Amino acid sequence: MDKLKIVGGKELNGEVSISGAKNAALPILASTLLTDQTMTISNVPHLHDITTTMELLGRMGSDLMLDEKLNIEVTNNNINEFFAPYEMVKTMRASILVLGPLLARFGEADVSLPGGCAIGSRPVDIHISGLAAMGADITVDKGYIKAKAKRLKGAHLILEMVTVTGTENLMMAAVLADGKTTLENAAREPEVVDLAECLIAMGANIQGAGTDTIVIEGVESLHGAQHTILPDRIETGTFLVAVVMAGGKVKIKNTRPKLLDAVLSKLRAAGAQIELEDSSITVTMDLERPRAVDIHTSPFPGFPTDMQAQFTALNCIAEGNSTITETVFENRFMHVQELQRMGANIKLEGNTAICNGVAKLIAAPVMATDLRASASLVLAGLVAEGETIVDRIYHIDRGYETIEEKFRQLGAEINRMPA
Ligand code: UD1
């Protein structure tokens, strides 16, 4: 397994370009199953989760091509399997996103349950009950969701919890259903809006994406389209936090500042100077240490759970005390123990981490069991005294495109050590 070796203490300066959003690319690749015509998807990030999705589509019979500009062309006129096996779903929960499209277009799907994962039990009951309410005959048998439907029927669904992939799965199912579907308490995340825009370009009739009520009028069929994936707000946020921890001045390009309000206001409170342009953010950090900031995660437009671990790392070296409360996922504090090993003064009380900032972290060998936790350890390594080795970085490769190259370009001393 590859590792990252980081020598801490370097300021970050220069420019970095943000990749397409993983969490938009995954549902949008799944949405290509809804048409037999060619879809062209641009700005797809080069990530392990994307390769897994392409493998999953490939084994169902998708025709996938990378053109000279690195756009992905997908044609699904020869799908001969409606099956997502456990071996694939267990490595990437988002494989569940093929359930809605398969059922809507082919009337059949056989998709493994994701099972538990490092950041909590994460059930998919809302996906299942929503499809059942749309008329699917759906059962869970030996760890697999088996669903059949002649043609799904529009329904009025009140989602019990705000779920991102649940909203996406049900929206994709509804676009080809007979009649009108209303999703109440829908997720408002920008990635849901990006998926809706792609579906609309394919001929779907969707209103209200980005609000908590999405109304979908089903159509008979969808056609091919081109779609450019929106920039990754979590990758953007991770680089912003890195600069605020390490000091320096960095222009973050090809991003969408409007999607980061909650994160930017915390960074300002931590002492960063932030300048915004349409598609870039320049962050300057002159203070020796950031000021501690309290964090409380919640669905968009609240503070994203996917930025919680990075802000925990920031608070570890900040001036002052802070509390970090995680409300979206149980058990999403796997990074806390590792940060303690680097000298952080932090303890857990239920779903809250209580942090007293220390002046310095000390390098140590660390590893993490999920994507954003791993990213927080890289951030800690960038400011720690000495040489930090971050193990199990396949988690990082799932969600960050060439993270070490991007940080090196900003002046960090960070190298990949191949297994
Ligand atoms: C997505 C993101 C992930 C992000 C999360 C929350 C993708 C591929 N992943 O994950 O990066 O951290 O949103 O912003 O987009 N829940 C249920 N029943 C369900 C579905 C969800 O109880 O049927 C619960 C979950 O256990 C969790 C909460 O709802 O506590 C939110 O989960 P959800 O929004 O579904 O997360 P994902 O879509 O898996």
Side-chain angles (χ1 to χ4, degrees):
M1 264 179 253
D2 289 5
K3 297 176 183 167
L4 284 177
K5 183 164 90 179
I6 309 167
V7 179
K10 305 276 187 295
E11 257 197 9
L12 301 177
N13 286 291
E15 293 188 349
V16 64
S17 185
I18 295 304
S19 304
K22 166 178 90 74
N23 285 354
L26 297 177
I28 285 170
L29 283 171
S31 78
T32 64
L33 286 166
L34 289 163
T35 174
D36 61 356
Q37 296 185 10
T38 300
M39 294 289 301
T40 305
I41 319 286
S42 312
N43 201 31
V44 179
H46 296 227
L47 300 171
H48 202 256
D49 274 7
I50 300 295
T51 316
T52 307
T53 306
M54 288 170 70
E55 268 172 39
L56 180 61
L57 290 173
R59 59 173 290 156
M60 292 178 184
S62 270
D63 187 4
L64 294 140
M65 281 211 334
L66 213 58
D67 75 10
E68 68 285 0
K69 289 186 181 144
L70 297 180
N71 301 314
I72 298 184
E73 281 187 12
V74 193
T75 312
N76 289 323
N77 58 3
N78 205 8
I79 297 295
N80 46 32
E81 206 176 85
F82 314 116
F83 179 58
Y86 177 63
E87 296 71 53
M88 298 196 102
V89 182
K90 77 170 183 209
T91 63
M92 190 187 65
R93 259 192 118 256
S95 312
I96 190 79
L97 287 163
V98 298
L99 177 62
L102 283 176
L103 193 58
R105 176 151 160 239
F106 303 101
E108 193 178 334
D110 188 355
V111 176
S112 170
L113 279 174
C117 82
I119 61 174
S121 64
R122 297 176 91 178
V124 288
D125 53 312
I126 297 169
H127 306 230
I128 295 176
S129 60
L131 292 171
M134 294 171 78
D137 178 6
I138 188 162
T139 53
V140 177
D141 186 28
K142 300 192 184 79
Y144 278 82
I145 305 167
K146 294 180 188 293
K148 279 200 159 56
K150 273 219 172 68
R151 185 177 179 197
L152 292 169
K153 289 192 175 49
H156 191 114
L157 305 175
I158 301 170
L159 309 185
E160 211 171 289
M161 285 179 78
V162 178
T163 157
V164 176
T165 49
T167 301
E168 292 166 344
N169 234 339
L170 295 171
M171 185 162 73
M172 289 191 281
V175 289
L176 289 181
D178 181 17
K180 177 165 114 178
T181 300
T182 304
L183 302 178
E184 278 194 53
N185 198 27
R188 291 179 278 169
E189 267 65 6
E191 294 75 21
V192 172
V193 178
D194 207 40
L195 170 64
E197 282 172 5
C198 177
L199 293 168
I200 290 167
M202 295 164 76
N205 185 345
I206 301 173
Q207 268 158 8
T211 74
D212 62 3
T213 306
I214 304 179
V215 180
I216 304 128
E217 197 70 58
V219 295
E220 292 282 336
S221 66
L222 295 177
H223 51 73
Q226 188 278 338
H227 183 80
T228 303
I229 303 287
L230 91 168
D232 197 312
R233 64 195 166 100
I234 306 301
E235 187 195 15
T236 305
T238 303
F239 279 98
L240 285 166
V241 173
V243 180
V244 176
M245 289 174 71
K249 177 174 183 175
V250 172
K251 181 170 188 175
I252 299 178
K253 298 190 305 184
N254 295 333
T255 188
R256 223 180 267 180
K258 285 195 179 74
L259 308 182
L260 282 127
D261 282 350
V263 167
L264 291 172
S265 76
K266 289 292 174 190
L267 291 173
R268 287 193 186 97
Q273 294 162 45
I274 308 270
E275 289 162 60
L276 304 181
E277 285 168 85
D278 274 358
S279 63
S280 70
I281 303 174
T282 303
V283 53
T284 311
M285 184 62 177
D286 293 331
L287 303 181
E288 193 145 316
R289 284 170 69 188
R291 291 191 285 268
V293 284
D294 290 334
I295 297 293
H296 183 102
T297 65
S298 57
F300 192 85
F303 186 93
T305 172
D306 285 350
M307 285 302 303
Q308 180 260 103
Q310 299 87 320
F311 271 80
T312 303
L314 180 149
N315 277 328
C316 285
I317 55 141
E319 205 136 23
N321 303 331
S322 55
T323 56
I324 302 137
T325 307
E326 173 59 57
T327 73
V328 179
F329 290 114
E330 50 184 293
N331 197 21
R332 197 176 197 179
F333 279 120
M334 314 299 282
H335 40 292
V336 163
Q337 276 186 359
E338 299 298 294
L339 291 167
Q340 281 167 344
R341 298 184 54 245
M342 296 176 77
N345 183 354
I346 183 167
K347 64 175 184 194
L348 279 178
E349 272 180 23
N351 67 345
T352 299
I354 298 160
C355 189
N356 301 311
V358 294
K360 256 206 179 336
L361 291 176
I362 309 292
V366 286
M367 65 178 188
T369 42
D370 77 75
L371 166 57
R372 306 304 169 186
S374 309
S376 77
L377 298 178
V378 171
L379 299 185
L382 290 174
V383 298
E385 196 171 283
E387 186 180 287
T388 297
I389 306 286
V390 184
D391 202 348
R392 296 210 182 161
I393 57 162
Y394 59 85
H395 289 295
I396 299 186
D397 295 333
R398 289 187 43 210
Y400 291 90
E401 189 172 312
T402 59
I403 193 168
E404 73 276 20
E405 282 172 32
K406 289 190 183 186
F407 273 125
R408 235 184 355 250
Q409 183 186 318
L410 297 175
E413 198 174 331
I414 173 168
N415 286 290
R416 183 175 289 253
M417 299 157 60

